[in-house]
Amino acid sequence: MLTWPLSTVGQSHTGTSIVDPCNAEPAPPSPAMYQLDIVLKKGNNLAIRDRTGTSDPYVKFKIQGKEVFRSKTIHKNLNPVWDERASLLVESLRDPLYVKVFDYDFGLQDDFMGSGYLYLESLEHQRTLEVTLDLKDPHYPDHNLGSLDLSVTLSPREGDMRDACQSMRLSDVHRKSQLWRGIVSISLIEGRGLQPMDDNGRSDPYVKFRMGHQKYKSKTIPKTLNPQWREQFDFHMYEEQGGYVDITVWDKDAGKKDDFMGKCTIDLSLLSKEHTHKLELLLEEGEGVLVMLVTLTASAAVSISDMSVNVLDDPHERLQIKQRYSLWRSLRNLKDVGVVQVKVIRAEGLMAADVTGKSDPFCVVELSNDRLQTHTVYKNLNPEWNKVFTFNVKDIHTVLEVTVYDEDRDRSADFLGKVAIPLLNIQNGERKAYALKSKELTGPTKGVIFLEIDVIFNAVKAGLRTLIPIEQKYIEEEPRVSKQLLLRNFNRVRRCIMFIINTGYYINSCFEWESPQRSICAFVLFVVLVWNFELYMIPLALLLPLAWNYILITSGKDTRQDVQAMEDLMEDEDEDFDKDDRDSERKGFMNKIYAIQDVCISVQNALDEVASYGERIKNTFNWTVPFLSWLAIVALGMATVIVYFIPLRYIVLAWGVNKFTKKLRDPYTIDNNEILDFLSRVPSDVQVVQYRELKPDPNPSPNKRKKNNPG
């Protein structure tokens, strides 16, 4: 056994993205190509980093500054056993393997536990060596931080580097780092007997969940020690053993840091699959209990493949999938709405993000919380990926987002461009060039991306899923105050209010007899309606503008509001957004007035919500999304028939009985409002602009290009 006293570096890095070193520029076949097989066995007497006298260690491997491996986390153990294997391709033995150990801390920055180098030039070829690595901290070189036991084999490799890297990437590093093995469905029901944190003897509790890189934050329930959340969300399960879900409870405090109220952990390896478990978890370092339902299910239809191997191109497989989502199977597994296949072919004319005048682009495909990515093509502004991604569709109103990034060795990736494509706008089997947009999707940036998309879904399931709460995206970043967003949302609310005011003016003009013909018609209509009014006329009246606008659209007269004004407003804000953010960071203004920031964010979000719902109601009647407008026609038609044939007292009685007995029939039901859930699927005017497809501009002007390029 060899013992390696390893030199260390001073700066720790906590990134979690997995980058394959084989993405380097292809070199001619050379005997200086090597395969490094490593078995990470265990750790010995590692450093204590938690207050409980233990640590939650995990290990990272790096070569040439790029992370090539990350182990799983072993909780509460100073002598962890990993027994994990990694196979790496290296071009030169001059670059050592850099090993770093961290303590996983939920909600905080992970603590550094030691690091060191394994010098590859000293290894014998074709021989397995048992190595003990001593861990050191560069700031305290005399401290003993324990050691790692490794098994290392270095073997020369012949052959074409590109083929070897491609095979390695897809089979080991790339696929295993992305494809999940199952779904963890969590329903947060309630809390009991939580710790009072405020002067009034109460708290404003909310809950944070974390499973690996996935995060979820619940809503805040004000002034209670027994909150009722009743929220449902899903996590992806990447480890076959299950892994852990870390949970913390916090008290929301306006104007200062939120108070910690306790924590707990779910060990998924102890739960059986395909079964719903009711858990009552005691909070550590706090008081009270959290009640939740947890279900582990098998992985959905998600895959990554090459262009030569994809399901929907096989006529037999395509027929089977269509049968799976046929109408006569509408009541089977309502969560499985459909499947979407995305072919990411290539991009052209991307921005040069590196000083060499090139970029290292890779592509990320996202559908709600499902996220997959291609490999990186190095030093290329016209990359070809030729990859096929398959996702399971849980909501047909989801928007497919395709983003191109430039990979950077020691810092976060640079944004190159993005497109957002609603699933209902997809033309099956059509290969299209999509012009890339800016981060806010408000204007074009340089380059186009070629995609071919197919979506197959069941219309009945899609309609039923429209009436349940929309899936929330995982936490990505905290909102920040922006005067541009405040102004935009204020203008949007003002437009909705002005529509109501103008409608009132129009009705009042009938009373004032400004136009005798119009006033006479309005008076006759008023008398007839009041004299013969029945309740069924309300949904029937809402059907009339839907039908009228549909007739106008089919006749070639599109009455939908022109969103050019909104588009111009959003484009003009692009530079102001960046300037406002830079000024905020430079002055540190937001750090000094947390209370004002919270108030401004609340006003900003309230304006956005009010404006969005007003615009969504309008867009429902304007046939912005025909699927939803037809769904509204079906619902209003059914409401008209029901109200016409059934007396009002029976309808109100049935509604009241359902409301009063709902919790008795299902104590853990998730509360929802079908009308608001329906409207949440209708795009607002801002989203209409964001989802609008741009025509590729082969020769953009220099000024426009500079304006829309993200910094």
Side-chain angles (χ1 to χ4, degrees):
M1 180 180 294
L2 300 179
T3 301
W4 293 70
L6 301 176
S7 60
T8 56
V9 296
Q11 184 67 32
S12 64
H13 179 65
T14 59
T16 59
S17 61
I18 296 180
V19 181
D20 194 340
C22 350
N23 283 324
E25 280 291 303
S30 169
M33 180 102 178
Y34 301 90
Q35 177 172 324
L36 181 64
D37 296 310
I38 306 175
V39 179
L40 173 62
K41 292 185 173 181
K42 62 179 182 178
N44 305 300
N45 301 319
L46 299 184
I48 297 173
R49 289 292 183 262
D50 295 339
R51 290 181 294 177
T52 57
T54 62
S55 294
D56 306 313
Y58 66 90
V59 181
K60 292 181 179 181
F61 294 163
K62 281 189 172 185
I63 293 180
Q64 295 180 333
K66 296 180 181 178
E67 184 178 325
V68 294
F69 171 80
R70 173 173 172 167
S71 74
K72 62 186 178 183
T73 302
I74 306 295
H75 291 267
K76 296 181 174 61
N77 201 324
L78 299 181
N79 297 280
V81 177
W82 284 285
D83 278 332
E84 295 189 49
R85 289 168 170 78
S87 294
L88 312 173
L89 289 177
V90 294
E91 295 180 75
S92 172
L93 299 183
R94 292 191 300 270
D95 298 309
L97 178 74
Y98 183 31
V99 181
K100 304 175 77 174
V101 184
F102 292 92
D103 168 57
Y104 170 81
D105 281 331
F106 173 60
L108 304 170
Q109 183 174 0
D110 295 344
D111 297 322
F112 178 70
M113 296 179 63
S115 65
Y117 290 102
L118 173 62
Y119 294 98
L120 305 183
E121 291 177 319
S122 303
L123 299 178
E124 296 184 41
H125 297 179
Q126 304 287 0
R127 180 183 174 188
T128 300
L129 300 176
E130 303 296 328
V131 180
T132 298
L133 303 180
D134 294 328
L135 301 173
K136 297 294 181 182
D137 187 332
H139 299 294
Y140 305 98
D142 297 332
H143 288 190
N144 181 15
L145 300 181
S147 61
L148 298 177
D149 288 348
L150 306 175
S151 177
V152 182
T153 306
L154 184 65
S155 306
R157 284 287 298 267
E158 301 290 343
D160 182 48
M161 181 180 178
R162 181 185 298 273
D163 295 339
C165 290
Q166 179 73 4
S167 174
M168 191 68 191
R169 178 188 303 115
L170 288 178
S171 62
D172 293 327
V173 179
H174 190 66
R175 278 207 182 106
K176 289 184 179 180
S177 67
Q178 297 190 69
L179 299 183
W180 47 95
R181 295 170 171 83
I183 303 294
V184 182
S185 180
I186 300 177
S187 295
L188 175 62
I189 304 302
E190 62 186 4
R192 300 174 187 163
L194 300 185
Q195 183 177 356
M197 305 300 292
D198 298 336
D199 295 336
N200 58 11
R202 299 177 182 273
S203 296
D204 306 310
Y206 65 91
V207 184
K208 288 183 177 181
F209 296 82
R210 175 171 170 176
M211 184 177 174
H213 65 277
Q214 304 169 90
K215 300 177 183 179
Y216 179 82
K217 179 180 176 181
S218 76
K219 61 188 177 185
T220 301
I221 308 297
K223 299 178 181 178
T224 180
L225 301 180
N226 300 284
Q228 296 280 328
W229 285 288
R230 300 185 180 274
E231 299 181 42
Q232 192 275 330
F233 59 94
D234 295 337
F235 280 157
H236 296 149
M237 186 166 58
Y238 292 88
E239 300 180 17
E240 293 180 358
Q241 294 80 7
Y244 293 84
V245 179
D246 296 310
I247 306 169
T248 54
V249 184
W250 301 82
D251 170 56
K252 181 70 175 178
D253 284 330
K256 58 181 180 178
K257 187 176 180 180
D258 296 345
D259 297 322
F260 176 76
M261 298 179 63
K263 67 178 183 179
C264 55
T265 302
I266 303 176
D267 186 351
L268 299 178
S269 64
L270 303 178
L271 304 181
S272 59
K273 295 184 178 180
E274 309 299 337
H275 178 73
T276 299
H277 304 266
K278 179 185 176 183
L279 305 180
E280 297 187 4
L281 304 174
L282 291 172
L283 293 177
E284 302 174 10
E285 304 179 25
E287 300 176 6
V289 175
L290 291 182
V291 180
M292 60 189 68
L293 305 179
V294 180
T295 306
L296 276 61
T297 57
S299 177
V302 57
S303 67
I304 307 174
S305 64
D306 294 317
M307 293 286 286
S308 58
V309 183
N310 63 86
V311 176
L312 293 184
D313 283 355
D314 184 342
H316 179 68
E317 294 286 349
R318 190 181 188 95
L319 179 60
Q320 284 188 334
I321 293 176
K322 285 187 174 181
Q323 291 176 348
R324 175 180 168 188
Y325 298 108
S326 60
L327 290 178
W328 58 278
R329 293 192 176 184
S330 296
L331 300 181
R332 296 185 184 180
N333 190 7
L334 293 179
K335 290 186 176 181
D336 186 15
V337 173
V339 64
V340 60
Q341 176 181 277
V342 185
K343 294 181 181 178
V344 182
I345 302 165
R346 68 182 190 276
E348 293 181 356
L350 298 179
M351 277 194 303
D354 299 336
V355 293
T356 60
K358 300 287 186 180
S359 292
D360 305 321
F362 66 93
C363 185
V364 175
V365 184
E366 295 178 87
L367 187 69
S368 187
N369 288 312
D370 297 346
R371 186 180 189 273
L372 298 173
Q373 73 179 60
T374 69
H375 60 282
T376 303
V377 179
Y378 285 87
K379 295 179 174 58
N380 203 321
L381 299 181
N382 302 286
E384 292 190 10
W385 293 291
N386 292 318
K387 290 292 176 287
V388 181
F389 300 93
T390 305
F391 295 94
N392 198 62
V393 177
K394 294 177 284 187
D395 188 344
I396 196 60
H397 309 289
T398 310
V399 177
L400 180 73
E401 295 182 357
V402 182
T403 311
V404 182
Y405 293 96
D406 168 66
E407 179 188 306
D408 277 331
R409 175 173 296 183
D410 292 321
R411 52 194 178 92
S412 59
D414 294 328
F415 176 86
L416 296 180
K418 180 178 182 180
V419 293
I421 310 167
L423 294 184
L424 287 172
N425 291 358
I426 291 171
Q427 299 293 326
N428 283 350
E430 182 181 5
R431 182 170 297 190
K432 296 181 65 174
Y434 293 88
L436 294 174
K437 294 185 176 182
S438 61
K439 280 185 180 179
E440 294 79 21
L441 297 170
T442 54
T445 187
K446 192 177 180 184
V448 296
I449 186 168
F450 291 83
L451 306 173
E452 182 179 328
I453 311 174
D454 284 271
V455 60
I456 298 174
F457 69 98
N458 180 289
V460 175
K461 290 183 182 181
L464 293 175
R465 291 284 292 176
T466 304
L467 304 179
I468 67 173
I470 193 170
E471 181 180 6
Q472 299 298 317
K473 296 204 73 172
Y474 301 144
I475 301 172
E476 294 182 353
E477 59 180 357
E478 294 295 328
R480 293 186 295 173
V481 174
S482 169
K483 61 183 181 183
Q484 283 75 28
L485 276 178
L486 280 170
L487 180 61
R488 181 208 295 175
N489 293 339
F490 174 77
N491 288 333
R492 292 167 62 199
V493 173
R494 185 176 64 179
R495 288 169 57 198
C496 296
I497 294 175
M498 288 304 299
F499 173 78
I500 297 174
I501 292 175
N502 291 334
T503 303
Y505 285 154
Y506 182 83
I507 295 174
N508 188 65
S509 69
C510 296
F511 299 148
E512 297 293 334
W513 292 83
E514 295 178 4
S515 171
Q517 296 88 348
R518 185 172 63 205
S519 296
I520 292 174
C521 293
F523 177 72
V524 173
L525 182 62
F526 171 77
V527 172
V528 171
L529 288 178
V530 171
W531 185 258
N532 299 282
F533 178 78
E534 296 289 345
L535 193 60
Y536 72 86
M537 294 180 180
I538 295 177
L540 180 61
L542 294 176
L543 280 172
L544 295 179
L546 276 167
W548 176 250
N549 284 333
Y550 179 74
I551 293 172
L552 292 179
I553 291 172
T554 54
S555 64
K557 299 178 181 179
D558 195 342
T559 62
R560 287 172 287 191
Q561 180 180 355
D562 185 11
V563 295
Q564 187 63 44
M566 175 68 71
E567 188 172 316
D568 293 340
L569 174 64
M570 294 171 66
E571 287 184 358
D572 291 340
E573 290 172 357
D574 279 350
E575 294 181 358
D576 293 334
F577 269 119
D578 296 335
K579 182 177 183 299
D580 187 57
D581 290 343
R582 288 194 300 268
D583 290 344
S584 297
E585 293 172 2
R586 182 169 58 250
K587 297 176 182 178
F589 182 69
M590 297 308 170
N591 295 327
K592 300 177 182 178
I593 50 170
Y594 287 116
I596 296 178
Q597 174 175 293
D598 289 341
V599 171
C600 291
I601 289 176
S602 299
V603 173
Q604 177 177 292
N605 293 340
L607 289 172
D608 176 63
E609 188 170 357
V610 172
S612 294
Y613 276 112
E615 292 165 356
R616 285 167 175 161
I617 293 172
K618 176 203 66 176
N619 290 338
T620 300
F621 288 96
N622 280 350
W623 292 81
T624 300
V625 182
F627 181 90
L628 292 173
S629 296
W630 280 116
L631 196 61
I633 286 179
V634 172
L636 291 172
M638 293 175 61
T640 302
V641 173
I642 291 173
V643 174
Y644 180 80
F645 287 103
I646 301 177
L648 179 61
R649 63 175 62 87
Y650 296 144
I651 296 175
V652 175
L653 183 62
W655 174 83
V657 170
N658 175 68
K659 281 293 185 181
F660 278 106
T661 62
K662 191 173 185 179
K663 192 169 183 179
L664 296 177
R665 289 181 280 115
D666 186 358
Y668 305 115
T669 185
I670 305 297
D671 296 330
N672 71 297
N673 184 303
E674 288 80 3
I675 296 177
L676 295 182
D677 292 336
F678 171 85
L679 289 176
S680 67
R681 268 67 173 204
V682 182
S684 64
D685 286 352
V686 171
Q687 291 172 320
V688 169
V689 174
Q690 291 176 335
Y691 303 157
R692 172 175 289 181
E693 182 181 336
L694 296 179
K695 294 182 179 179
D697 187 358
N699 296 305
S701 65
N703 293 335
K704 186 176 181 181
R705 181 183 306 174
K706 180 178 179 182
K707 174 183 176 181
N708 290 294
N709 282 352

